Amino acid sequence: MILSVNNINPKNSINFSADGNDKKKKDLEYNHDTLLKNNLATRTDIAIDKLLNAFTVYPAKGLKGSRNANFYEFLTMGNVPYLIGSLMLMNVFNGATKFYSHFQQTKAKPLGNKLALGVIFYGLAKNISKSFISTPIHLMTGIDIERPYAKVNYELPDNINDTDIISIEHHKVFESVEFPRYDLLYGDVGKGEDRNFRYDKIAKKLGMGTGLNDSDQEVKSRIREIVVKANLAKNISSYLWAATGVAFAFQKPWENFFNVMTFKFWKGPEFLKTLTSFGKNFVKSAKTLYKGEGSGLTKHAGKILIGASILSSIIGIANTMHSSHKPSKVDAADVIKKDEKYVVN
């Protein structure tokens, strides 16, 4: 998100201090790297902001060779070909049906609609399934591996009259395994928060005790291990769930939905019928996928795919929670025998 800096004068100057605690600040949404809440509203706002910038601001900076263009913007623009390619895949098959005979159209149109639905369910299942790993991990450990934050960049002006020198990027605290933003998890002492209150909660949930003097130092190695394992689990399970989404989209009951489907929301009764039909055929398609058709392996293919997807999430969570770095239950009295002599070299 690019924000403008206007009306610059000595009495209302921009503060570039690291702590951002001076009295006179630029009236910005964020004036320093800020930890954000991980909720639906924030995630939606971030998604919209990144999508709009990927189609407008970032390509413009690249085309004019801006020295402020960076790798984050390059990665964000990767959503553009992904979305365009998905739309093309959804339309290329259906776009050719007008050249078919009427009989051929009756056979090709349902398949084309299922292909389009498969693209949608692939993307939804792949992204939603990541929460099957991250949410249980968060509940059990207190570590939110998807926690977002806003990074404030002060850019160099491209020309003498350029005032758009502040940009905001959206990242995740544990986006980088090598350089996680542990600093953002410390509490704001100025607001009455304990410095290590987040680390204290994590240490307690991990069974490392309470009232630790340096809970942040105690748990960081465990956090790193959990993040690495959770990321692996998400990558594996998300593709299995995506495959399940595609298989789900190709079930026969969806043909009933396509027969009444309309996107004309201004036609109330017809649009309401579309929504009702979607819900009914959603349930029917799920049952059809599970029960299967035919015989042998074909009949049980749906069960196997669903089972593999669920099992991948469960195993991923179990592996993430297992650690060889758990605190030892051996007491010092069990190691040091008072009736024996010890020599320190």
Side-chain angles (χ1 to χ4, degrees), residues 144-190:
D144 188 356
I145 59 178
E146 302 290 339
R147 188 69 183 267
Y149 76 93
K151 178 177 174 58
V152 178
N153 288 335
Y154 294 98
E155 300 181 338
L156 297 171
D158 289 323
N159 58 68
I160 194 172
N161 296 317
D162 189 6
T163 58
D164 295 331
I165 62 172
I166 298 177
S167 68
I168 293 178
E169 300 175 359
H170 291 105
H171 296 269
K172 294 179 181 178
V173 173
F174 301 110
E175 187 174 80
S176 170
V177 177
E178 293 83 4
F179 304 103
R181 291 300 303 270
Y182 288 127
D183 57 301
L184 295 176
L185 298 180
Y186 289 110
D188 190 341
V189 180

mmCIF file of all heavy atoms in Angstrom, residues 144-190:
data_model
loop_
_atom_site.group_PDB
_atom_site.id
_atom_site.type_symbol
_atom_site.label_atom_id
_atom_site.label_comp_id
_atom_site.label_asym_id
_atom_site.label_seq_id
_atom_site.Cartn_x
_atom_site.Cartn_y
_atom_site.Cartn_z
ATOM 1 N N ASP A 144 1.070 -18.593 16.785
ATOM 2 C CA ASP A 144 0.267 -18.335 15.589
ATOM 3 C C ASP A 144 1.218 -18.194 14.410
ATOM 4 O O ASP A 144 1.781 -17.121 14.176
ATOM 5 C CB ASP A 144 -0.565 -17.062 15.768
ATOM 6 C CG ASP A 144 -1.549 -16.850 14.633
ATOM 7 O OD1 ASP A 144 -1.528 -17.647 13.665
ATOM 8 O OD2 ASP A 144 -2.334 -15.882 14.693
ATOM 9 N N ILE A 145 1.428 -19.276 13.663
ATOM 10 C CA ILE A 145 2.393 -19.260 12.560
ATOM 11 C C ILE A 145 1.913 -18.422 11.385
ATOM 12 O O ILE A 145 2.689 -18.151 10.465
ATOM 13 C CB ILE A 145 2.706 -20.693 12.089
ATOM 14 C CG1 ILE A 145 1.437 -21.406 11.619
ATOM 15 C CG2 ILE A 145 3.385 -21.490 13.179
ATOM 16 C CD1 ILE A 145 1.676 -22.791 11.089
ATOM 17 N N GLU A 146 0.643 -17.988 11.412
ATOM 18 C CA GLU A 146 0.103 -17.154 10.336
ATOM 19 C C GLU A 146 -0.062 -15.697 10.770
ATOM 20 O O GLU A 146 -0.687 -14.908 10.067
ATOM 21 C CB GLU A 146 -1.262 -17.699 9.882
ATOM 22 C CG GLU A 146 -1.240 -19.132 9.391
ATOM 23 C CD GLU A 146 -0.524 -19.285 8.074
ATOM 24 O OE1 GLU A 146 -0.393 -18.277 7.349
ATOM 25 O OE2 GLU A 146 -0.084 -20.409 7.757
ATOM 26 N N ARG A 147 0.507 -15.320 11.895
ATOM 27 C CA ARG A 147 0.302 -13.966 12.442
ATOM 28 C C ARG A 147 0.874 -12.911 11.491
ATOM 29 O O ARG A 147 2.066 -12.927 11.170
ATOM 30 C CB ARG A 147 0.964 -13.835 13.814
ATOM 31 C CG ARG A 147 0.641 -12.535 14.560
ATOM 32 C CD ARG A 147 -0.794 -12.502 14.981
ATOM 33 N NE ARG A 147 -1.161 -11.257 15.631
ATOM 34 C CZ ARG A 147 -1.140 -11.050 16.955
ATOM 35 N NH1 ARG A 147 -0.743 -12.019 17.762
ATOM 36 N NH2 ARG A 147 -1.521 -9.905 17.463
ATOM 37 N N PRO A 148 0.051 -11.974 11.007
ATOM 38 C CA PRO A 148 0.529 -10.969 10.054
ATOM 39 C C PRO A 148 1.063 -9.722 10.753
ATOM 40 O O PRO A 148 0.752 -9.455 11.921
ATOM 41 C CB PRO A 148 -0.737 -10.635 9.257
ATOM 42 C CG PRO A 148 -1.839 -10.804 10.248
ATOM 43 C CD PRO A 148 -1.410 -11.918 11.183
ATOM 44 N N TYR A 149 1.863 -8.978 10.034
ATOM 45 C CA TYR A 149 2.294 -7.663 10.515
ATOM 46 C C TYR A 149 2.495 -6.728 9.325
ATOM 47 O O TYR A 149 2.673 -7.178 8.186
ATOM 48 C CB TYR A 149 3.575 -7.761 11.356
ATOM 49 C CG TYR A 149 4.856 -7.976 10.579
ATOM 50 C CD1 TYR A 149 5.648 -6.901 10.179
ATOM 51 C CD2 TYR A 149 5.297 -9.260 10.269
ATOM 52 C CE1 TYR A 149 6.841 -7.096 9.486
ATOM 53 C CE2 TYR A 149 6.481 -9.462 9.576
ATOM 54 C CZ TYR A 149 7.240 -8.378 9.186
ATOM 55 O OH TYR A 149 8.423 -8.560 8.487
ATOM 56 N N ALA A 150 2.427 -5.449 9.602
ATOM 57 C CA ALA A 150 2.608 -4.435 8.560
ATOM 58 C C ALA A 150 4.020 -3.885 8.651
ATOM 59 O O ALA A 150 4.447 -3.429 9.720
ATOM 60 C CB ALA A 150 1.593 -3.306 8.730
ATOM 61 N N LYS A 151 4.740 -3.948 7.565
ATOM 62 C CA LYS A 151 6.116 -3.443 7.507
ATOM 63 C C LYS A 151 6.120 -2.097 6.791
ATOM 64 O O LYS A 151 5.612 -1.973 5.672
ATOM 65 C CB LYS A 151 7.021 -4.424 6.763
ATOM 66 C CG LYS A 151 8.456 -3.951 6.606
ATOM 67 C CD LYS A 151 9.305 -5.004 5.917
ATOM 68 C CE LYS A 151 10.709 -4.489 5.632
ATOM 69 N NZ LYS A 151 11.401 -4.052 6.856
ATOM 70 N N VAL A 152 6.671 -1.096 7.439
ATOM 71 C CA VAL A 152 6.714 0.258 6.879
ATOM 72 C C VAL A 152 8.060 0.490 6.204
ATOM 73 O O VAL A 152 9.112 0.299 6.830
ATOM 74 C CB VAL A 152 6.487 1.315 7.974
ATOM 75 C CG1 VAL A 152 6.593 2.720 7.400
ATOM 76 C CG2 VAL A 152 5.128 1.123 8.624
ATOM 77 N N ASN A 153 8.026 0.870 4.933
ATOM 78 C CA ASN A 153 9.244 1.177 4.182
ATOM 79 C C ASN A 153 9.288 2.664 3.843
ATOM 80 O O ASN A 153 8.303 3.217 3.344
ATOM 81 C CB ASN A 153 9.291 0.378 2.867
ATOM 82 C CG ASN A 153 9.555 -1.091 3.097
ATOM 83 O OD1 ASN A 153 10.140 -1.477 4.103
ATOM 84 N ND2 ASN A 153 9.104 -1.923 2.180
ATOM 85 N N TYR A 154 10.418 3.285 4.113
ATOM 86 C CA TYR A 154 10.647 4.663 3.690
ATOM 87 C C TYR A 154 11.495 4.616 2.430
ATOM 88 O O TYR A 154 12.675 4.289 2.475
ATOM 89 C CB TYR A 154 11.341 5.460 4.799
ATOM 90 C CG TYR A 154 10.475 5.629 6.020
ATOM 91 C CD1 TYR A 154 10.617 4.783 7.118
ATOM 92 C CD2 TYR A 154 9.493 6.618 6.067
ATOM 93 C CE1 TYR A 154 9.815 4.919 8.236
ATOM 94 C CE2 TYR A 154 8.688 6.763 7.180
ATOM 95 C CZ TYR A 154 8.855 5.913 8.266
ATOM 96 O OH TYR A 154 8.051 6.056 9.369
ATOM 97 N N GLU A 155 10.875 4.917 1.309
ATOM 98 C CA GLU A 155 11.535 4.762 0.026
ATOM 99 C C GLU A 155 12.300 6.005 -0.389
ATOM 100 O O GLU A 155 12.127 7.087 0.177
ATOM 101 C CB GLU A 155 10.493 4.413 -1.048
ATOM 102 C CG GLU A 155 9.739 3.118 -0.761
ATOM 103 C CD GLU A 155 8.744 2.782 -1.851
ATOM 104 O OE1 GLU A 155 8.334 3.719 -2.587
ATOM 105 O OE2 GLU A 155 8.375 1.608 -1.976
ATOM 106 N N LEU A 156 13.128 5.820 -1.404
ATOM 107 C CA LEU A 156 13.863 6.933 -1.992
ATOM 108 C C LEU A 156 12.999 7.589 -3.064
ATOM 109 O O LEU A 156 12.340 6.888 -3.838
ATOM 110 C CB LEU A 156 15.175 6.442 -2.615
ATOM 111 C CG LEU A 156 16.178 5.819 -1.653
ATOM 112 C CD1 LEU A 156 17.326 5.187 -2.434
ATOM 113 C CD2 LEU A 156 16.707 6.863 -0.680
ATOM 114 N N PRO A 157 12.946 8.914 -3.133
ATOM 115 C CA PRO A 157 12.137 9.569 -4.172
ATOM 116 C C PRO A 157 12.708 9.286 -5.557
ATOM 117 O O PRO A 157 13.916 9.324 -5.758
ATOM 118 C CB PRO A 157 12.234 11.055 -3.802
ATOM 119 C CG PRO A 157 13.484 11.176 -2.993
ATOM 120 C CD PRO A 157 13.630 9.884 -2.257
ATOM 121 N N ASP A 158 11.833 8.993 -6.517
ATOM 122 C CA ASP A 158 12.279 8.741 -7.886
ATOM 123 C C ASP A 158 12.640 10.030 -8.614
ATOM 124 O O ASP A 158 13.400 10.019 -9.578
ATOM 125 C CB ASP A 158 11.190 7.998 -8.668
ATOM 126 C CG ASP A 158 11.049 6.554 -8.182
ATOM 127 O OD1 ASP A 158 12.081 5.960 -7.857
ATOM 128 O OD2 ASP A 158 9.915 6.054 -8.120
ATOM 129 N N ASN A 159 12.069 11.138 -8.175
ATOM 130 C CA ASN A 159 12.427 12.435 -8.735
ATOM 131 C C ASN A 159 12.260 13.495 -7.666
ATOM 132 O O ASN A 159 11.752 13.221 -6.571
ATOM 133 C CB ASN A 159 11.572 12.749 -9.979
ATOM 134 C CG ASN A 159 10.084 12.747 -9.668
ATOM 135 O OD1 ASN A 159 9.588 13.616 -8.960
ATOM 136 N ND2 ASN A 159 9.366 11.743 -10.192
ATOM 137 N N ILE A 160 12.659 14.713 -7.966
ATOM 138 C CA ILE A 160 12.706 15.773 -6.971
ATOM 139 C C ILE A 160 11.325 16.155 -6.449
ATOM 140 O O ILE A 160 11.169 16.667 -5.344
ATOM 141 C CB ILE A 160 13.432 17.016 -7.552
ATOM 142 C CG1 ILE A 160 13.790 17.990 -6.411
ATOM 143 C CG2 ILE A 160 12.565 17.688 -8.625
ATOM 144 C CD1 ILE A 160 14.672 19.126 -6.864
ATOM 145 N N ASN A 161 10.290 15.905 -7.253
ATOM 146 C CA ASN A 161 8.927 16.268 -6.855
ATOM 147 C C ASN A 161 8.139 15.087 -6.298
ATOM 148 O O ASN A 161 6.948 15.229 -6.000
ATOM 149 C CB ASN A 161 8.172 16.846 -8.056
ATOM 150 C CG ASN A 161 8.791 18.137 -8.556
ATOM 151 O OD1 ASN A 161 9.156 18.999 -7.761
ATOM 152 N ND2 ASN A 161 8.909 18.276 -9.866
ATOM 153 N N ASP A 162 8.778 13.949 -6.166
ATOM 154 C CA ASP A 162 8.081 12.749 -5.714
ATOM 155 C C ASP A 162 7.872 12.791 -4.204
ATOM 156 O O ASP A 162 8.816 12.961 -3.437
ATOM 157 C CB ASP A 162 8.898 11.509 -6.091
ATOM 158 C CG ASP A 162 8.128 10.225 -5.849
ATOM 159 O OD1 ASP A 162 6.937 10.321 -5.506
ATOM 160 O OD2 ASP A 162 8.704 9.139 -6.014
ATOM 161 N N THR A 163 6.616 12.667 -3.790
ATOM 162 C CA THR A 163 6.295 12.668 -2.360
ATOM 163 C C THR A 163 5.760 11.319 -1.882
ATOM 164 O O THR A 163 5.521 11.136 -0.704
ATOM 165 C CB THR A 163 5.241 13.747 -2.038
ATOM 166 O OG1 THR A 163 4.070 13.504 -2.817
ATOM 167 C CG2 THR A 163 5.781 15.130 -2.335
ATOM 168 N N ASP A 164 5.545 10.379 -2.826
ATOM 169 C CA ASP A 164 5.046 9.056 -2.444
ATOM 170 C C ASP A 164 6.217 8.177 -2.008
ATOM 171 O O ASP A 164 6.640 7.277 -2.723
ATOM 172 C CB ASP A 164 4.318 8.398 -3.620
ATOM 173 C CG ASP A 164 3.068 9.160 -4.000
ATOM 174 O OD1 ASP A 164 2.485 9.790 -3.111
ATOM 175 O OD2 ASP A 164 2.709 9.127 -5.185
ATOM 176 N N ILE A 165 6.744 8.451 -0.835
ATOM 177 C CA ILE A 165 7.969 7.777 -0.403
ATOM 178 C C ILE A 165 7.726 6.761 0.709
ATOM 179 O O ILE A 165 8.668 6.176 1.229
ATOM 180 C CB ILE A 165 9.024 8.787 0.060
ATOM 181 C CG1 ILE A 165 8.518 9.574 1.261
ATOM 182 C CG2 ILE A 165 9.409 9.718 -1.074
ATOM 183 C CD1 ILE A 165 9.570 10.454 1.898
ATOM 184 N N ILE A 166 6.487 6.546 1.076
ATOM 185 C CA ILE A 166 6.189 5.597 2.145
ATOM 186 C C ILE A 166 5.330 4.475 1.595
ATOM 187 O O ILE A 166 4.290 4.715 0.987
ATOM 188 C CB ILE A 166 5.467 6.287 3.319
ATOM 189 C CG1 ILE A 166 6.365 7.361 3.924
ATOM 190 C CG2 ILE A 166 5.093 5.258 4.386
ATOM 191 C CD1 ILE A 166 5.712 8.129 5.042
ATOM 192 N N SER A 167 5.766 3.242 1.768
ATOM 193 C CA SER A 167 4.986 2.089 1.334
ATOM 194 C C SER A 167 4.838 1.113 2.484
ATOM 195 O O SER A 167 5.698 1.043 3.376
ATOM 196 C CB SER A 167 5.657 1.389 0.146
ATOM 197 O OG SER A 167 6.856 0.777 0.563
ATOM 198 N N ILE A 168 3.750 0.387 2.478
ATOM 199 C CA ILE A 168 3.476 -0.590 3.530
ATOM 200 C C ILE A 168 3.351 -1.974 2.909
ATOM 201 O O ILE A 168 2.580 -2.170 1.971
ATOM 202 C CB ILE A 168 2.194 -0.234 4.302
ATOM 203 C CG1 ILE A 168 2.403 1.068 5.087
ATOM 204 C CG2 ILE A 168 1.805 -1.355 5.263
ATOM 205 C CD1 ILE A 168 1.188 1.529 5.853
ATOM 206 N N GLU A 169 4.131 -2.897 3.420
ATOM 207 C CA GLU A 169 4.083 -4.282 2.972
ATOM 208 C C GLU A 169 3.460 -5.144 4.062
ATOM 209 O O GLU A 169 3.589 -4.841 5.248
ATOM 210 C CB GLU A 169 5.493 -4.793 2.671
ATOM 211 C CG GLU A 169 6.224 -4.016 1.596
ATOM 212 C CD GLU A 169 7.655 -4.482 1.424
ATOM 213 O OE1 GLU A 169 8.083 -5.401 2.166
ATOM 214 O OE2 GLU A 169 8.353 -3.916 0.558
ATOM 215 N N HIS A 170 2.797 -6.206 3.652
ATOM 216 C CA HIS A 170 2.184 -7.117 4.613
ATOM 217 C C HIS A 170 2.935 -8.447 4.604
ATOM 218 O O HIS A 170 3.007 -9.115 3.582
ATOM 219 C CB HIS A 170 0.711 -7.334 4.279
ATOM 220 C CG HIS A 170 -0.134 -6.122 4.512
ATOM 221 N ND1 HIS A 170 -0.614 -5.334 3.488
ATOM 222 C CD2 HIS A 170 -0.567 -5.529 5.652
ATOM 223 C CE1 HIS A 170 -1.307 -4.331 3.978
ATOM 224 N NE2 HIS A 170 -1.304 -4.432 5.291
ATOM 225 N N HIS A 171 3.480 -8.781 5.742
ATOM 226 C CA HIS A 171 4.249 -10.009 5.902
ATOM 227 C C HIS A 171 3.678 -10.814 7.058
ATOM 228 O O HIS A 171 2.705 -10.405 7.699
ATOM 229 C CB HIS A 171 5.723 -9.697 6.177
ATOM 230 C CG HIS A 171 6.419 -9.003 5.052
ATOM 231 N ND1 HIS A 171 7.075 -9.685 4.055
ATOM 232 C CD2 HIS A 171 6.571 -7.686 4.778
ATOM 233 C CE1 HIS A 171 7.607 -8.823 3.206
ATOM 234 N NE2 HIS A 171 7.308 -7.603 3.616
ATOM 235 N N LYS A 172 4.308 -11.955 7.337
ATOM 236 C CA LYS A 172 3.960 -12.765 8.493
ATOM 237 C C LYS A 172 5.154 -12.832 9.423
ATOM 238 O O LYS A 172 6.305 -12.831 8.974
ATOM 239 C CB LYS A 172 3.531 -14.167 8.061
ATOM 240 C CG LYS A 172 2.236 -14.179 7.251
ATOM 241 C CD LYS A 172 1.854 -15.580 6.824
ATOM 242 C CE LYS A 172 0.574 -15.548 5.987
ATOM 243 N NZ LYS A 172 0.195 -16.900 5.506
ATOM 244 N N VAL A 173 4.877 -12.879 10.709
ATOM 245 C CA VAL A 173 5.940 -12.862 11.711
ATOM 246 C C VAL A 173 6.941 -13.994 11.473
ATOM 247 O O VAL A 173 8.152 -13.800 11.573
ATOM 248 C CB VAL A 173 5.338 -12.971 13.124
ATOM 249 C CG1 VAL A 173 6.444 -13.134 14.171
ATOM 250 C CG2 VAL A 173 4.491 -11.746 13.441
ATOM 251 N N PHE A 174 6.431 -15.180 11.125
ATOM 252 C CA PHE A 174 7.308 -16.343 10.924
ATOM 253 C C PHE A 174 7.454 -16.674 9.445
ATOM 254 O O PHE A 174 7.670 -17.828 9.068
ATOM 255 C CB PHE A 174 6.752 -17.543 11.687
ATOM 256 C CG PHE A 174 6.629 -17.301 13.163
ATOM 257 C CD1 PHE A 174 5.387 -17.170 13.755
ATOM 258 C CD2 PHE A 174 7.754 -17.178 13.958
ATOM 259 C CE1 PHE A 174 5.265 -16.933 15.110
ATOM 260 C CE2 PHE A 174 7.654 -16.938 15.310
ATOM 261 C CZ PHE A 174 6.399 -16.813 15.898
ATOM 262 N N GLU A 175 7.378 -15.656 8.619
ATOM 263 C CA GLU A 175 7.545 -15.829 7.180
ATOM 264 C C GLU A 175 8.937 -16.359 6.847
ATOM 265 O O GLU A 175 9.112 -17.196 5.968
ATOM 266 C CB GLU A 175 7.304 -14.488 6.500
ATOM 267 C CG GLU A 175 7.261 -14.496 5.007
ATOM 268 C CD GLU A 175 6.872 -13.131 4.472
ATOM 269 O OE1 GLU A 175 7.746 -12.240 4.413
ATOM 270 O OE2 GLU A 175 5.698 -12.942 4.146
ATOM 271 N N SER A 176 9.931 -15.857 7.560
ATOM 272 C CA SER A 176 11.305 -16.305 7.373
ATOM 273 C C SER A 176 11.718 -17.156 8.570
ATOM 274 O O SER A 176 11.627 -16.717 9.714
ATOM 275 C CB SER A 176 12.247 -15.102 7.242
ATOM 276 O OG SER A 176 13.599 -15.508 7.297
ATOM 277 N N VAL A 177 12.164 -18.381 8.297
ATOM 278 C CA VAL A 177 12.617 -19.247 9.376
ATOM 279 C C VAL A 177 13.938 -18.743 9.946
ATOM 280 O O VAL A 177 14.191 -18.823 11.146
ATOM 281 C CB VAL A 177 12.773 -20.695 8.864
ATOM 282 C CG1 VAL A 177 13.306 -21.602 9.964
ATOM 283 C CG2 VAL A 177 11.437 -21.219 8.355
ATOM 284 N N GLU A 178 14.784 -18.202 9.064
ATOM 285 C CA GLU A 178 16.090 -17.713 9.503
ATOM 286 C C GLU A 178 15.980 -16.415 10.298
ATOM 287 O O GLU A 178 16.716 -16.200 11.257
ATOM 288 C CB GLU A 178 17.012 -17.479 8.299
ATOM 289 C CG GLU A 178 17.413 -18.734 7.553
ATOM 290 C CD GLU A 178 16.363 -19.173 6.568
ATOM 291 O OE1 GLU A 178 15.355 -18.454 6.410
ATOM 292 O OE2 GLU A 178 16.538 -20.240 5.939
ATOM 293 N N PHE A 179 15.052 -15.537 9.889
ATOM 294 C CA PHE A 179 14.941 -14.228 10.546
ATOM 295 C C PHE A 179 13.485 -13.937 10.916
ATOM 296 O O PHE A 179 12.870 -13.021 10.367
ATOM 297 C CB PHE A 179 15.485 -13.131 9.640
ATOM 298 C CG PHE A 179 16.891 -13.352 9.189
ATOM 299 C CD1 PHE A 179 17.167 -13.806 7.903
ATOM 300 C CD2 PHE A 179 17.955 -13.131 10.054
ATOM 301 C CE1 PHE A 179 18.467 -14.012 7.482
ATOM 302 C CE2 PHE A 179 19.264 -13.343 9.640
ATOM 303 C CZ PHE A 179 19.523 -13.789 8.348
ATOM 304 N N PRO A 180 12.906 -14.700 11.837
ATOM 305 C CA PRO A 180 11.539 -14.410 12.275
ATOM 306 C C PRO A 180 11.500 -13.099 13.057
ATOM 307 O O PRO A 180 12.495 -12.716 13.689
ATOM 308 C CB PRO A 180 11.190 -15.603 13.169
ATOM 309 C CG PRO A 180 12.510 -16.114 13.641
ATOM 310 C CD PRO A 180 13.480 -15.864 12.537
ATOM 311 N N ARG A 181 10.369 -12.428 13.024
ATOM 312 C CA ARG A 181 10.257 -11.139 13.715
ATOM 313 C C ARG A 181 9.860 -11.352 15.174
ATOM 314 O O ARG A 181 8.764 -11.001 15.605
ATOM 315 C CB ARG A 181 9.258 -10.255 12.986
ATOM 316 C CG ARG A 181 9.722 -9.779 11.621
ATOM 317 C CD ARG A 181 11.008 -8.950 11.691
ATOM 318 N NE ARG A 181 10.858 -7.811 12.574
ATOM 319 C CZ ARG A 181 10.424 -6.616 12.170
ATOM 320 N NH1 ARG A 181 10.113 -6.428 10.903
ATOM 321 N NH2 ARG A 181 10.311 -5.622 13.020
ATOM 322 N N TYR A 182 10.784 -11.926 15.936
ATOM 323 C CA TYR A 182 10.533 -12.137 17.352
ATOM 324 C C TYR A 182 10.280 -10.820 18.077
ATOM 325 O O TYR A 182 9.549 -10.772 19.074
ATOM 326 C CB TYR A 182 11.730 -12.835 18.001
ATOM 327 C CG TYR A 182 11.908 -14.283 17.630
ATOM 328 C CD1 TYR A 182 13.115 -14.757 17.128
ATOM 329 C CD2 TYR A 182 10.877 -15.199 17.798
ATOM 330 C CE1 TYR A 182 13.287 -16.092 16.793
ATOM 331 C CE2 TYR A 182 11.045 -16.540 17.472
ATOM 332 C CZ TYR A 182 12.244 -16.977 16.971
ATOM 333 O OH TYR A 182 12.410 -18.300 16.645
ATOM 334 N N ASP A 183 10.901 -9.745 17.593
ATOM 335 C CA ASP A 183 10.791 -8.455 18.275
ATOM 336 C C ASP A 183 9.361 -7.948 18.335
ATOM 337 O O ASP A 183 8.991 -7.213 19.263
ATOM 338 C CB ASP A 183 11.675 -7.422 17.575
ATOM 339 C CG ASP A 183 11.323 -7.257 16.103
ATOM 340 O OD1 ASP A 183 11.395 -8.258 15.362
ATOM 341 O OD2 ASP A 183 10.969 -6.131 15.698
ATOM 342 N N LEU A 184 8.538 -8.333 17.348
ATOM 343 C CA LEU A 184 7.158 -7.852 17.316
ATOM 344 C C LEU A 184 6.270 -8.554 18.338
ATOM 345 O O LEU A 184 5.156 -8.098 18.605
ATOM 346 C CB LEU A 184 6.572 -8.056 15.913
ATOM 347 C CG LEU A 184 7.223 -7.250 14.791
ATOM 348 C CD1 LEU A 184 6.607 -7.624 13.442
ATOM 349 C CD2 LEU A 184 7.078 -5.754 15.041
ATOM 350 N N LEU A 185 6.751 -9.650 18.903
ATOM 351 C CA LEU A 185 5.958 -10.395 19.875
ATOM 352 C C LEU A 185 6.146 -9.891 21.300
ATOM 353 O O LEU A 185 5.454 -10.352 22.211
ATOM 354 C CB LEU A 185 6.310 -11.886 19.812
ATOM 355 C CG LEU A 185 6.023 -12.583 18.475
ATOM 356 C CD1 LEU A 185 6.423 -14.052 18.548
ATOM 357 C CD2 LEU A 185 4.556 -12.462 18.103
ATOM 358 N N TYR A 186 7.084 -8.968 21.503
ATOM 359 C CA TYR A 186 7.261 -8.395 22.837
ATOM 360 C C TYR A 186 6.126 -7.419 23.146
ATOM 361 O O TYR A 186 5.625 -6.729 22.256
ATOM 362 C CB TYR A 186 8.606 -7.674 22.940
ATOM 363 C CG TYR A 186 9.799 -8.606 22.964
ATOM 364 C CD1 TYR A 186 10.663 -8.678 21.881
ATOM 365 C CD2 TYR A 186 10.051 -9.412 24.065
ATOM 366 C CE1 TYR A 186 11.761 -9.543 21.887
ATOM 367 C CE2 TYR A 186 11.141 -10.276 24.088
ATOM 368 C CZ TYR A 186 11.989 -10.335 22.993
ATOM 369 O OH TYR A 186 13.056 -11.194 23.009
ATOM 370 N N GLY A 187 5.725 -7.379 24.403
ATOM 371 C CA GLY A 187 4.655 -6.477 24.805
ATOM 372 C C GLY A 187 5.113 -5.038 24.886
ATOM 373 O O GLY A 187 6.312 -4.749 25.004
ATOM 374 N N ASP A 188 4.163 -4.132 24.815
ATOM 375 C CA ASP A 188 4.443 -2.698 24.909
ATOM 376 C C ASP A 188 4.394 -2.291 26.378
ATOM 377 O O ASP A 188 3.322 -2.147 26.968
ATOM 378 C CB ASP A 188 3.413 -1.909 24.099
ATOM 379 C CG ASP A 188 3.792 -0.434 23.963
ATOM 380 O OD1 ASP A 188 4.619 0.040 24.760
ATOM 381 O OD2 ASP A 188 3.247 0.238 23.058
ATOM 382 N N VAL A 189 5.571 -2.111 26.961
ATOM 383 C CA VAL A 189 5.656 -1.757 28.381
ATOM 384 C C VAL A 189 4.982 -0.425 28.643
ATOM 385 O O VAL A 189 4.373 -0.213 29.696
ATOM 386 C CB VAL A 189 7.130 -1.717 28.839
ATOM 387 C CG1 VAL A 189 7.227 -1.343 30.317
ATOM 388 C CG2 VAL A 189 7.801 -3.065 28.597
ATOM 389 N N GLY A 190 5.046 0.483 27.655
ATOM 390 C CA GLY A 190 4.422 1.796 27.811
ATOM 391 C C GLY A 190 2.917 1.727 27.958
ATOM 392 O O GLY A 190 2.288 2.628 28.503
#
